[in-house]
Amino acid sequence: MSLSFERLQATVQAAHGRPGRGYWLLLALAASLAAWGGWAYSLVVRNGLYVTGLERPGCWGNLITDFVFWVGIAHSGTLISAILFLFRAKFRTAVYRVAEMMTVFAVMTAGLYPIFHLGRPWFAYWLFPYPNERGIWVNFRSPLIWDVFAISTYFIVSTVFLLVGVAPDAAALRDRAAGWRRRLYGILAFGWRGTDEQWRHYTRAYLFFAAFATPLVVSVHSVVSWDFAVSVLPGWHSTLFPPYFVAGAILSGVAMVIVILVPLRRWLHLEEIITPRHLDMLSRLVLLTSLIVTYSYATEILTALGEPASDPERSTFVYRMTGDYAPLFWLMVACNCVGPSLLLAGKVRRSVKALFTISLLVNVGMWLERFNIVVTSLAHDRDPFSWRTYTPSWVEWAMTFGAFGWFFFWFLVGLKVLPPVSIAEMKEELAHEAHASGEAAHAG
Amino acid sequence: MPAEAGVLGSFGEPSAAAGAVRALKGAGFADVRVAMPAPFPEVVLAIGKPRSPIDFVTFPGALVGLLCGIGLTVGTSLAWPLVTGGKPVVSIPPFVIVIFEMTVLIGSLTNLLAVSLGSWHGGRARVFPGQPTFNADRIGVYAVGGDPALAERVLRESGAEEVGRVG
Amino acid sequence: MTDPAQKPLGRRAFLKIAGAVGVAAGCSPKAATQKVIPFLVPPDDIVPGTPLYYRTVCRECPAGCGVTARTREGRVVKLEGNPEDPIGGGALCARGQAGLQALYAPDRFQGPLRRGPEGRLSALGWDEAEDLLAKALMAAREKGPGSIRVLTRPEPGSAGAFQRAFLRALGGRAEDRVVLDPLDAAPLRAAGEALFDQPEIPVHELSRARSIVAFGAEFLEAWLSPVEHARQLAEGRGRVGPDRTRLTWVGPRLSLTGYSADVWLRARAGGELAVALGLLRWLVDPRNAVQDLAPEARALNSRLAALDPSELSRRAGLPWERIERLGRELSLRRPSALLGPGVSSQGPDATQLAAVLRLVDLALGNLGQTVFYGLDPMEDPPSPFGQVESLLADMAAGRVEVLLVHHADPAGSLPAALRAGEALGRVPLVVSFGSRPDETTRRAHLVLPDHHALESWGDVSPRLGVVNLCQPAMTPLADTRAAGQVLLELAGKLPLPAAHFPWPDFYEYTQTRAETYAMVALGKFPDLMAVQREALQRGGYWSYRLPPRSEMPALVRGAAEGFLSVPPPAPAEGGDLDLVVFPGVLRGGGGSGLPWLEEVPDAVSSLSWIPWAELSPATARRLGVATGDRVSVATSAGRVELRAYVYPGLRDDAVAVPLGGPEALAALPLVRDAHSGSLAFRSARAVVARIGRGGSLPILEGSPYQHGREIVPTVSAAAPSVRRPDLSHRMYREPAHPEHRWGMAIDLDRCTGCQACVVACFAENNVPVMGPEAASQGRYMGWIRIERFLGDEPGGELEVNLLPMLCQQCTNAPCEPVCPVYATYHTAEGLNAQVYNRCVGTRYCSNNCPYKVRTFNWRDAQFPRPLNMQLNPDVTVRSKGVMEKCTFCVQRIRYAENQARDEARPVRDGEIVPACAQTCPARAIAFGDLADPDSRVSRLSRERRGFMALEDLNTRPAITYLARVREKEEP
């Protein structure tokens, strides 16, 4: 390939050009979706959760599903940028910036839902340990507190990681930008000059960030899975959950990356930077995690079916597959297991359309997976007398879709501000390729 | 502060820049500084600086995080001991999770602090000419002190595209 | 003293701020605080914060149980039984508990009302109202006898006596006063008269019975004296082996009473009589050689031998062996008690059924053992139904000028076929003393609201030798007046010889009557003041004793023969299903409209707020009906729309509809008992058709089956102890309970599922009523629920097991560790505390509770005025967004602990009684200290029948259930 530093930077900066009508339309759409969700939530604050479809035993529903879903989405970013960095997987370079932006905004979204679903959200800050007049601290035995720590840590660390990665690019852009952008990049560049001394510390520090972030990624979704796994509820209480949830998170996250990248590279003309090869690599990742997830489903179900008919565990899984929510279960299987398995065929992997569709469906499927776990288990607990099915009210749906509005609003804004591709690392990579092919990198 | 007097050459090719650095060192220039858009390994190698010492800041930072985590969990549990679920007041396994998160959090924040300080200090200790910048596509090699003429020649020979005196 | 200026907050500054704050507070929009104690000069006996108790009597049904009313700051906040009262024995049923809400009902009339020309009721003054009525009475009096009529509920006491006196003074005849009890057990009276020349309702002593057979008599729900019956039955329960009381339920529908039965004889509707006749026939049949039968019974053999067993068993809808087996059991297990007919078996042959049952009693020598005559006070018994009908006829014919209605609702509690509403419409002046709107006050021209029983003086004698006194427990809430007082004042306004009524007010009248009671009770002329004061403090005059056998009446010669023939089969037209109407334990005969009774789900269907139609699974399948569908039930009398409930406890040839509300009454054709002429509730045939889907249903149960999980194990003589998991392995050390470890034991062999505990809990703990919409959304807030399991798997064998489910106060409570803010934790006294103001409402605790006993405040609780006056000041009213649950009535625990501390003594065993345990008629709930090995609860929890709910989870609950004893065959 022949792509000079010049063209690279030009392409990246082109993404920051004056936004067209399409962009504004999308932004408006996202904003109004978010506003709709926000208004729905104001009903909850005013009238209590009575306006939702929640009941006993179904005390958790859409909102918790949304929380887990968005935490899952948040995983791809750090996975791609940190873990693949440690594994020296070259293909990450072109795509990790988008993934990281996604991570930060997804955590921003996920973090809202545990607060939204509280009975008394105005006391949400009681979940943080701080010396208070009540003289009482938080209960560190509660998985919800682990959540508070995991999610906030994850948010801070991934934001730092993103900004640190942006700094050199910001410097590069700063030198050519003018007006508010110049000022903004001046700040983001953090006084970056690119001297050997700075690079010396930077490269080392970046390694550490990656080293910190990697276990964090794994821990965060494990913690989220413990929200369920440490309970006594059949269908929740399972040692399989942490790996199962992490794999699921990566599956949904990478799928989301693809869903976003495919239109993005078209729209921002990044085809040269984000090549079919990159997409192919991501789709392999989808395939792999989908296989893990499929295996987890199978393990859960088979172990449950091994129990006698009177066993609540078994009963819950039979209920999932044949009960009130069975259609959702089978739709989930189709989206998360059957769909990705098509990616075994190289032809499918290389067809952008197919890849896009499959990834989109995977996201639907992963939302359904969380819904299935949260709702069916609650609806079918140990005491049959208290069984009851849960149906979300329109308020919960509004908040669920509002989340997408909120997420894409920030993402669209981010696209226009942050470089969607890591210029510096691309340059490094290009230089090497050039070196390999003995051709002057900048002879364009 | 203004950069000390020296000669600045700009290169388009990492290998060339690396060559220049080596050549300058060979010519007895003790203080050769480079600015580049990306950490091209060959250049870094040529400069031959030891690995960054921020390890010694980050690791202690992480340790502090660990201790904070232990202090927070155990301390607050003992401050008002409440029995829940028939489990011990200080129940280690769940606490480990919080302790881990604290370690990562404080560890990476220290890391951030360390890198900012490091590069800031680096910027002061080894000043690089402000103009032109080398964040886009060129690599700047800056020979400080010594005989400017010699520096110019070496840079040209190493294939510098532009060479200029500073200060 | 340092210079205040140097201090950060000097005195002046402080005063400034304080003043500012004061002003700010004054400006706050909140309503001005009301005075806590509603009187100017507080009397000595009212100490804020300490309860004050008054003994009075419950008027929710004719049983007349004694009541202890707990008042706080001058308001009644809770009703409890009067432990000294021989009827209720300290317990109250669900309806008794809810009587409180009639007192605070928001729709109570605030004062006298008159219907204007435009048809709306408008307020007027008492004097005006009385003058108006006096004039009308004078005018009507001129029209001769019968033009002034009184329609009243049974008033066995001063009120009734005064009504009679008043009417007499007006020149009225005795029959001008009609006493209406829609569920009157007249057939019992008729049978007593025919057989023994005793027109009485017999009294039962079930604790002596070794076997009880209920022929459709809902004696634990609404029949005669349910609280008393439940207590007596329970005395024979809670033990394994032959001396445990056996109960057999005979009828087409397994009612809540039937749930306590060991055997259900699925007789078809109307087949009860055939069963009874068959039973008597088998007993007196010499071939069966039944020992010591009463000779007069043996004499009946000639007549009974004529009855063809196959015919009987066909009529009964049962194989003959079942009847034989019952006969064998009764011949061996003596004494026994045969109860019936109840509402659901009160058909055209009700008196005959009653008579045959008495004859069986006679044959087995139960008279004077478990069944007693001579205890009916004959104080204001309900009029024969014929009188009610003739009154309605006179009204319809315009022969009635003035009708005084006293707590009776002919239009709302009698079958629509009687057209009582229209009859009322034809009366020029209908005067109602009712205190709340009902079908009758809707048609009344003058409403003179009576006091609630808790505001008025009076007396009730439900039984010979029992006079329960009624005294005000609080000042009247509204501008109401005791009905007796109104009559007294009317008498003053009427030009009658004053000699009739020498009393200044109605209170004096009750006192003069009380004197006679006192003299009866003491047998001599005592210092009345002292005696009366004591009686008021204790709650009544009691000289109640069961008469010996010798005092039992003898069978009237030749009286029996008339009852021994099989009546012609009921006509089959009208439909393919037998219509079974039954009284509910909550709604009794008529819909009360009291929030608690509407909100609490029916124990059988777990439905609340709505009436329903029960269909057997097979019938439902045949009609293509599923639970929740809208169905029409059509009889010759009319067609009603109801929601369907598919219930295996019903014969395939029947449809069951609960009494209470207009539906059942609209479907009831006008059929009378051939002998007593009383209303026959059972006779109609019905056609049921599906109308369509019904949307969400206000139902509590998820699945009524145990799905093989053995949630409610049972024991038997063969296997007298429950198999329990081995939980000896401990991962952590047991939390310390240094002083107490509060625990509970619930005996499922005694529990009848009467729901009294549930309503008591609502009353004691300010549990909010959420309404029908919430009920269908699963937002029911009750802290206890009666879980009712019908068997193991759908379609399997019907085996009903009840499980009162409340917070188990676990030692290893799963709800606790998941709460992020310590809103729930394990206290040193073993309680699973819920700290409302710490709760942020994550609801994880509820998810993690395997018993699902935590309820969440989905919205702010609503207590429409003046219902808020009933709120227990010792218990917080929870705000929206917080979790709540059973606290073991922690306020009562603290109260007892503080009292013990004041008296420098340890808390006595049995001193702490939670609301549910207090009101339980069957005494099935025991509460106490598990840390004390000798406490009652500790002893019970060590019993072999003991088990814990979902024990294998190792949550280690503080509640031990004692398994129900189930003997298919008699041991």
Side-chain angles (χ1 to χ4, degrees), chain C residues 29 68 86 92 111 181 194 335 347 382 392 402 466 471 483 491 522 527 593 617 654 742 753 884:
Chain C
T68 309
L92 275 186
D181 173 8
L392 291 175
V402 180
V466 178
Q471 67 173 319
L522 281 81
D527 161 19
W742 302 118
E884 62 182 67

Side-chain angles (χ1 to χ4, degrees), chain A residues 109-126:
Chain A
T109 315
L112 294 176
Y113 281 77
I115 299 173
F116 284 172
H117 103 293
L118 287 183
R120 301 201 293 174
W122 44 91
F123 291 133
Y125 63 93
W126 285 1

Side-chain angles (χ1 to χ4, degrees), chain C residues 215 274-284 323 326-327 330 338 360:
Chain C
F215 290 77
V275 178
L277 281 168
L279 185 61
L280 187 57
R281 183 187 188 286
W282 189 92
L283 285 171
V284 300
I323 298 173
L326 181 59
L330 294 185
L338 294 97
V360 175

Side-chain angles (χ1 to χ4, degrees), chain C residues 101-183:
Chain C
Q101 282 197 317
L103 168 66
Y104 293 114
D107 60 359
R108 259 186 83 177
F109 296 122
Q110 295 305 301
L113 299 166
R114 171 179 37 187
R115 194 171 299 280
E118 77 292 348
R120 252 186 293 98
L121 285 171
S122 54
L124 75 165
W126 273 107
D127 292 349
E128 195 185 346
E130 284 170 359
D131 293 339
L132 200 147
L133 179 51
K135 270 195 214 69
L137 287 172
M138 287 318 298
R141 197 149 158 267
E142 304 313 316
K143 296 242 170 85
S147 53
I148 301 173
R149 301 291 192 92
V150 175
L151 182 63
T152 174
R153 72 175 173 195
E155 283 287 0
S158 304
F162 195 82
Q163 285 175 6
R164 286 193 293 274
F166 179 78
L167 201 56
R168 218 178 302 111
L170 275 175
R173 305 157 301 178
E175 63 265 33
D176 288 349
R177 177 170 176 278
V178 176
V179 181
L180 174 64
D181 173 8
L183 299 189

Side-chain angles (χ1 to χ4, degrees), chain C residues 398-458:
Chain C
R399 285 193 288 271
V400 178
E401 293 298 319
V402 180
L403 178 70
L404 304 176
V405 186
H406 177 82
H407 299 289
D409 182 15
S413 63
L414 291 173
L418 279 163
R419 305 178 172 286
E422 291 173 29
L424 281 169
R426 296 253 167 71
V427 178
L429 181 60
V430 176
V431 183
S432 170
F433 296 100
S435 54
R436 291 176 59 209
D438 58 24
E439 286 307 311
T440 301
T441 54
R442 220 163 266 120
R443 294 168 171 81
H445 306 95
L446 196 59
V447 178
L448 308 174
D450 189 2
H451 286 329
H452 185 275
L454 289 162
E455 299 167 329
S456 44
W457 291 99

